């Protein structure tokens, strides 16, 4: 039997409708996947930006001038020699406390022994950005490297 208006067999109309519905669903599925991928890449870019910002802030912190021709970088080296990080404690709280709500600064030696650690608030969220820096120190005529790590959280 033929459709009166289009002169198409009526039996083929149901097949054509099913084909069109499947095609529309496929197009919507591919479109939805692209939106999901764009969202993921946007989040990755944001995390990368915040990682770069954390690295810049850590570098700025170590370059803060103190005293006569000194900076926090040299203060870390002196604190390692005297095993007294109290001056650094004040500086970290003042500097990073103004910029971030939830953050952590860790200074560790080559053996991963933590020499200094400060945690701002109890953190139970995912790490947003992390920046690490190696600082050389002289210990009994040999060079060791301290790792200064800044972790910023959401």
């Amino acid at each position: 039997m033929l459709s009166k208006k289009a002169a198409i067999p009526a039996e083929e109309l149901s097949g054509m409708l099913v084909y069109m519905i499947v095609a529309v669903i496929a197009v919507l599925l591919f479109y939805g996947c692209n939106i999901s991928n764009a969202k993921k890449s946007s989040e990755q870019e944001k995390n990368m930006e915040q990682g770069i910002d954390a690295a810049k802030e850590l570098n700025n912190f170590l370059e803060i001038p103190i005293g006569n021709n000194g900076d926090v970088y040299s203060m870390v080296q002196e604190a390692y020699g005297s095993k007294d990080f109290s001056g650094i404690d004040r500086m970290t709280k003042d500097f990073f406390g103004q910029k971030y709500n939830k953050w952590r600064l860790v200074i560790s030696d080559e053996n991963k022994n933590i020499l200094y650690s400060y945690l701002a608030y109890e953190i139970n969220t995912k790490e947003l950005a992390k920046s690490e820096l190696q600082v050389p120190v002289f210990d009994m005529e040999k060079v060791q490297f301290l790792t200064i790590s800044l972790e910023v959280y959401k």
Side-chain angles (χ1 to χ4, degrees):
M1 178 188 301
L2 294 175
S3 170
K4 291 181 182 179
K5 290 185 180 179
I8 299 173
E11 299 84 30
E12 292 182 16
L13 283 178
S14 63
M16 290 170 49
L17 287 174
V18 169
Y19 175 76
M20 290 174 64
I21 290 171
V22 169
V24 167
I25 289 174
V27 167
L28 291 175
L29 233 167
F30 288 124
Y31 180 72
C33 289
N34 285 337
I35 289 175
S36 173
N37 289 340
K39 198 177 205 181
K40 284 180 186 176
S41 66
S42 173
E43 282 182 23
Q44 288 174 343
E45 283 182 27
K46 184 177 177 183
N47 288 346
M48 285 176 50
E49 276 184 27
Q50 293 185 339
I52 292 169
D53 290 342
K56 285 180 184 178
E57 292 302 328
L58 184 57
N59 284 328
N60 289 340
F61 170 69
L62 291 174
E63 294 172 355
I64 294 174
I66 53 171
N68 296 335
N69 298 330
D71 54 10
V72 176
Y73 185 83
S74 60
M75 187 178 185
V76 168
Q77 293 172 328
E78 292 171 11
Y80 176 76
S82 66
K83 306 294 185 212
D84 179 24
F85 290 91
S86 61
I88 292 174
D89 188 57
R90 284 191 311 274
M91 299 277 298
T92 57
K93 289 176 186 174
D94 290 344
F95 187 80
F96 294 114
Q98 294 175 1
K99 301 188 183 312
Y100 304 111
N101 290 330
K102 296 179 180 180
W103 57 276
R104 180 179 185 193
L105 186 79
V106 177
I107 300 175
S108 58
D109 61 10
E110 288 179 340
N111 299 326
K112 303 295 181 194
N113 298 323
I114 294 177
L115 305 172
Y116 170 79
S117 177
Y118 180 77
L119 178 66
Y121 299 105
E122 192 60 35
I123 298 171
N124 55 5
T125 60
K126 188 176 122 177
E127 181 180 299
L128 183 59
K130 183 175 184 177
S131 176
E132 287 188 349
L133 192 68
Q134 299 285 321
V135 176
V137 292
F138 299 98
D139 187 24
M140 295 189 182
E141 298 183 11
K142 69 176 189 176
V143 177
Q144 290 191 353
F145 289 93
L146 298 181
T147 301
I148 302 176
S149 174
L150 173 64
E151 301 166 1
V152 179
Y153 300 87
K154 288 183 181 179

